Amino acid sequence: DSDNGYAQEFVRRMDLGDARTLLDVGCGAGTIALRVAAQLEQVIGLDYSAGMLERMRERAAMQDLNNVHTCLRAWDDDWADVPRCDIVVASRSSMGPDPAYVLENMTSHARRRCYMTHLADGHFGDAAIAELLGRKKRAFPDYIYIVNLLHRMGIHPRLDYIVLPGRLAGTDNVDEFIKKVTWTFGDLSDDETQRLRD
């Protein structure tokens, strides 16, 4: 969803004033990169999903953006031929194999600035719902771990929070709520569905 509040809030916090190029790592369908492409000379979307990159190219063509390029890579692939850019973005894509490696890749490919988002509580889904369903998963390292890694690298980041309602917010009835939980957690057993209803 390229028109959601998250993307607006992310871009609002970016300074593009002295930038001409941007590398969007884990770009998906271009939610962030395409929002700023008209203000830059070149935008590169990097993602491990060929399908997402194809969708980004389609959306760029629909917007008549001819400065958008794509690169099929994962965090742990060889980035030797990935160009350095003025700005590197990792929007909701920083869960690489090793957070220190992710940060090293980002900072070594940025001439000016990096912007990234990272989980504040270490969970993608609602932790209370996961526990209710018996699907409690190991938490990811949260943002403070990233801040500590950056400090160890000699980088003192600016920190801000983007707070938006979760995917489960705003339901009108229990059936809609169960549908949203299913979308987030996958198929539910009869027992799990009953626990949600209760």
Side-chain angles (χ1 to χ4, degrees):
D1 178 8
S2 63
D3 216 8
N4 62 28
Y6 166 80
Q8 293 170 15
E9 288 300 312
F10 189 103
V11 170
R12 187 175 67 79
R13 288 162 169 81
M14 294 174 67
D15 174 8
L16 303 177
D18 56 354
R20 297 182 345 219
T21 58
L22 179 138
L23 173 65
D24 186 349
V25 182
C27 62
T31 299
I32 301 299
L34 296 181
R35 280 184 171 271
V36 299
Q39 301 170 60
L40 299 165
E41 291 177 15
Q42 182 180 18
V43 167
I44 301 167
L46 183 148
D47 204 288
Y48 70 88
S49 168
M52 285 292 188
L53 294 176
E54 178 59 29
R55 182 69 181 125
M56 183 179 184
R57 288 190 294 271
E58 289 169 2
R59 291 180 62 217
M62 289 188 307
Q63 296 176 43
D64 292 323
L65 296 169
N66 58 10
N67 62 335
V68 176
H69 309 280
T70 58
C71 179
L72 184 64
R73 292 287 188 293
W75 278 115
D76 51 356
D77 287 341
D78 182 2
W79 282 30
D81 62 342
V82 175
R84 291 184 73 228
C85 290
D86 294 325
I87 294 176
V88 177
V89 168
S91 165
R92 300 190 286 198
S93 64
S94 59
M95 298 298 187
D98 173 7
Y101 182 73
V102 165
L103 295 171
E104 180 59 38
N105 262 358
M106 283 186 71
T107 57
S108 67
H109 281 80
R111 288 191 200 97
R112 300 189 183 279
R113 287 177 294 286
C114 293
Y115 294 95
M116 74 181 297
T117 48
H118 198 83
L119 293 171
D121 67 359
H123 295 91
F124 280 108
D126 185 290
I129 298 296
E131 188 169 349
L132 176 76
L133 296 175
R135 298 187 185 191
K136 190 115 172 113
K137 293 184 179 176
R138 177 185 62 86
F140 291 98
D142 75 1
Y143 77 98
I144 203 67
Y145 182 64
I146 299 299
V147 171
N148 286 331
L149 288 174
L150 288 168
H151 182 269
R152 191 166 55 190
M153 293 168 67
I155 298 171
H156 304 284
R158 291 186 187 158
L159 178 63
D160 200 354
Y161 297 90
I162 298 176
V163 180
L164 297 168
R167 290 182 177 143
L168 303 178
T171 54
D172 293 327
N173 56 59
V174 70
D175 291 327
E176 184 182 346
F177 178 72
I178 290 170
K179 184 177 179 181
K180 287 184 176 185
V181 170
T182 302
W183 186 87
T184 302
F185 289 93
D187 291 335
L188 302 172
S189 70
D190 291 342
D191 180 57
E192 290 171 328
T193 301
Q194 188 58 50
R195 275 184 266 158
L196 289 173
R197 287 186 184 283
D198 293 345

